[in-house]
Amino acid sequence: GRAGAATAVDVVVRVDRQAVHEVRATVRAAQAMRGVGDVVMVSTVDRAEVTELAGALDLRLITVGDRHGIGAALTAVRTGHVALFDVGDVPAIDFLDRLRPHLLDERVAVVQGLGTSFADDSPEHGPNHRHELVFERSSLNPALGRRGAAVWLGSGSLVRVDAVREASSAPGVNDVLGAGSAIEAHWHLTSVLLAGGWRLVAPPTTVMAQRSLPDEA
């Protein structure tokens, strides 16, 4: 639940075109996490039903003009660390308990949490009937993370705000971020962070349930 100001971690829930019930599920789960501060909704689409939900839940809602909302997320939070989730992903109540110790190493910029899907189809389920990124998410990224070189996937991550602000303010970075999708923005910032000497880790422990997409398109 809500933590004291000195130890709290704010949460950003990134909203796109998902159904309102999915927005509510992610927000409620985020509010229930131990050690959470404020929960802020960052929406990449201006939707009346999302505005209404934010009002009903007494949450801040920021509507952005890009597809990733990273800049808005960094300015919206008041804590040194921030947890980021995409709508439909549901964090465990001990999400922060498990991931925050990794930020005791002041060289770590991002702790990428691992998610799992319990459905037959996943967001990466391709035409060859293979779950395309299962190996990359559950095996490869944690292995890279042991060397401090994990890929920042976005949702389910715990972020050192100052590190990402520093990376985002590097010359030319904002021009690249503004033109790309969320995952492209995270990939690009991964490179900038690593080049700046930061570490990105990905502990192989499941900390959230991932949204499944019935429509692969």
Side-chain angles (χ1 to χ4, degrees):
R2 187 172 296 274
T7 60
V9 173
D10 285 351
V11 176
V12 169
V13 174
R14 186 163 50 193
V15 187
D16 190 51
R17 298 184 181 275
Q18 302 95 338
V20 172
H21 71 86
E22 292 186 283
V23 182
R24 184 181 292 107
T26 299
V27 167
R28 286 300 197 192
Q31 290 175 319
M33 293 191 310
R34 289 196 295 264
V36 71
D38 292 334
V39 177
V40 182
M41 294 165 60
V42 172
S43 182
T44 60
V45 183
D46 188 5
R47 297 166 56 195
E49 60 269 32
V50 172
T51 302
E52 182 179 342
L53 178 63
L57 297 177
D58 195 26
L59 297 178
R60 279 186 294 155
L61 170 64
I62 301 172
T63 302
V64 297
D66 54 54
R67 297 168 62 191
H68 53 78
I70 295 173
L74 296 177
T75 57
V77 298
R78 302 186 178 97
T79 55
H81 304 150
V82 60
L84 173 65
F85 300 101
D86 288 335
V87 161
D89 293 342
V90 177
I93 192 171
D94 60 351
F95 178 93
L96 294 173
D97 298 336
R98 296 192 194 186
L99 298 192
R100 190 155 49 176
H102 294 276
L103 289 173
L104 292 174
D105 181 346
E106 295 187 356
R107 300 170 299 167
V108 172
V110 174
V111 186
Q112 178 60 58
L114 180 62
T116 187
S117 174
F118 299 101
D120 291 334
D121 288 323
S122 75
E124 301 87 28
H125 191 241
N128 61 356
H129 305 295
R130 176 175 174 266
H131 291 271
E132 299 295 349
L133 295 182
V134 169
F135 166 73
E136 287 83 349
R137 290 178 185 272
S138 63
S139 298
L140 179 58
N141 215 33
L144 291 171
R146 287 194 290 274
R147 302 182 180 190
V151 178
W152 184 17
L153 302 174
S155 188
S157 59
L158 184 58
V159 178
R160 190 182 303 275
V161 173
D162 286 347
V164 178
R165 281 180 179 156
E166 175 187 299
S168 300
S169 63
V173 169
N174 272 326
D175 294 338
V176 176
L177 297 186
S181 65
I183 191 64
E184 290 171 327
H186 290 298
W187 286 343
H188 188 67
L189 282 171
T190 294
S191 298
V192 176
L193 287 164
L194 292 174
W198 291 100
R199 291 172 54 83
L200 287 79
V201 301
T205 176
T206 301
V207 291
M208 69 173 181
Q210 279 186 302
R211 177 178 188 260
S212 296
L213 297 177
D215 180 358
E216 292 175 8

